[in-house]
Amino acid sequence: MPLSEFALIERYFRSCGAQRPDVVAGIGDDAALLTLAPGSELVAATDTLVEGVHFPHGSPPASIGHRALAVNLSDLAAMGARPAWALLALTLPRAEDAWLAEFAAGLGALARAHDVALVGGDTTRGPLCVTVQLLGHVPRGSALRRSGGRDGDAVFVSGTPGDAAAGLALEQGRLQAPADTAAYLRERFLWPKPRMALGERLRSHASACIDVSDGLLGDAAKLAAASRTGLQIDFDALPLSAALRQALGEGPARELALSGGDDYELCFCVHPEKLPALLAELPPQHWGYQRIGSLCAAPGALVVRDGTVMEFSHSGYQHFG
Ligand code: ADP
Ligand code: MG
């Protein structure tokens, strides 16, 4: 017997996330009622995952639930915000118990890990599509923005970008790799770990921040454009995982680190006078980030290797002159 919408929400979503005292009314009323602490600003983000577009058909349901929240968490991390409340708009072709149980387990585990309450949503029938809206807060005036960078700022990235894009290629059978390498890279696509703690700590260090979801070079260029600066990235400084190197080889691994999507890492800028405090208070080897370049006065995004500018296109890159 198909589940009624009411029974489905009760069974899978009522106690899916964290319990929070600032939820006056959650699932069960017409809208959620939430208490925002005095002196805070509300930070809101939403992102949609469509089957066949943002994840392959037949992806593990727990991973879909995890990723639907993770992509939004990453947006809040980039603002230096602390997440608190989520809404879930779920469109399903059919109400299938096993699928829903796994989906809710994946979403719920990540929500509870970050103290996020699931406070409402919408459930409809149609092609599989998951939209999460995530709400959080920052102390008033302290949010990180894309626009705060200046000429001369150091540019950093967290983690090892490119891994998730290789993981997706493996999931889709477009790439082959030894079993342990493949397992690591697939995990990086299926179970991204948004950089919440780093984002919050960067509020007192970074001049600008963006989350890397569509490819490092393009996203860093968006930050630079918002900051009205240019950007120079040192090709040889890009951090690579051993697995990505092994799967692709050095050069292609570096290219994928620049162009691949679904990383959910942070790219951030720091004024030169604030570098000593950053490096002392957030040691890079502990926090997992690395300098990859600088903001510069001349507009545009350049990738440089041994003093030579490289040009990237969808088919790879060519050296200038
Ligand atoms: P309404 O018709 O008033 O919009 P619904 O019957 O759609 O309400 O939903 C009932 C309650 O369940 C609401 O509080 C809504 O926010 C919540 N809800 C519906 N679908 C979901 C879902 N997929 N996840 C979490 N909460 C949901
Ligand atoms: Mg209603």
Side-chain angles (χ1 to χ4, degrees):
M1 195 184 84
L3 277 176
S4 73
E5 185 185 325
F6 175 78
L8 182 158
I9 295 162
E10 282 300 309
R11 187 177 302 173
Y12 297 109
F13 299 120
R14 164 78 72 188
S15 28
C16 179
Q19 305 294 316
R20 293 180 59 100
D22 52 13
V23 179
V24 180
I27 291 175
D29 216 313
D30 287 305
L33 272 180
L34 310 165
T35 309
L36 187 63
S40 301
E41 278 168 340
L42 185 65
V43 185
T46 189
D47 250 319
T48 294
L49 302 187
V50 177
E51 185 176 44
V53 178
H54 302 98
F55 57 89
H57 289 272
S59 286
S63 160
I64 299 170
H66 176 100
R67 293 185 71 247
L69 180 58
V71 299
N72 286 286
L73 284 168
S74 183
D75 282 326
L76 261 63
M79 303 296 288
R82 180 173 295 183
W85 312 292
L87 296 106
L88 168 67
L90 185 58
T91 304
L92 291 169
R94 69 200 80 83
E96 209 177 277
D97 265 309
W99 193 96
L100 279 161
E102 285 180 47
F103 173 84
L107 179 74
L110 187 62
R112 292 189 299 276
H114 293 288
D115 199 24
V116 171
L118 183 60
V119 298
D122 192 27
T123 308
T124 52
R125 192 178 294 270
L128 180 58
C129 176
V130 187
T131 299
V132 168
Q133 182 183 28
L134 183 63
L135 306 171
H137 50 86
V138 281
R140 187 170 297 147
S142 73
L144 293 171
R145 307 286 301 272
R146 295 179 180 185
S147 53
R150 286 201 308 244
D151 172 20
D153 282 2
V155 178
F156 297 86
V157 73
S158 66
T160 50
D163 290 354
L168 175 59
L170 286 157
E171 283 287 295
Q172 295 176 323
R174 293 184 281 117
L175 178 68
Q176 310 297 322
D180 52 343
T181 299
Y184 169 87
L185 293 171
R186 295 173 108 118
E187 166 132 356
R188 297 273 292 154
F189 173 76
L190 293 170
W191 307 98
K193 293 189 180 67
R195 301 281 179 170
M196 309 316 292
L198 179 60
E200 277 200 62
R201 294 294 300 271
L202 285 175
R203 286 206 307 262
S204 46
H205 298 283
S207 55
C209 189
I210 188 170
D211 88 309
V212 180
S213 54
D214 298 333
L216 175 58
L217 181 56
D219 286 334
K222 284 183 201 163
L223 180 155
S227 294
R228 298 168 177 278
T229 67
L231 165 74
Q232 195 160 312
I233 291 181
D234 176 1
F235 192 67
D236 290 319
L238 293 166
L240 299 180
S241 70
L244 191 67
R245 262 204 194 90
Q246 195 189 19
L248 296 182
E250 182 83 19
R254 287 194 183 282
E255 287 177 49
L256 198 63
L258 281 173
S259 64
D262 298 311
D263 296 308
Y264 305 108
E265 296 292 349
L266 297 180
C267 176
F268 59 95
C269 301
V270 178
H271 294 324
E273 67 273 18
K274 300 198 84 173
L275 282 174
L278 171 80
L279 301 175
E281 288 168 37
L282 302 178
Q285 48 306 353
H286 173 79
W287 287 85
Y289 66 88
Q290 187 163 314
R291 183 164 183 179
I292 56 167
S294 303
L295 297 182
C296 54
L302 299 181
V303 181
V304 174
R305 177 174 224 183
D306 297 330
T308 308
V309 175
M310 305 164 81
E311 195 191 17
F312 285 83
S313 66
H314 63 278
S315 56
Y317 70 92
Q318 304 139 3
H319 290 276
F320 273 142

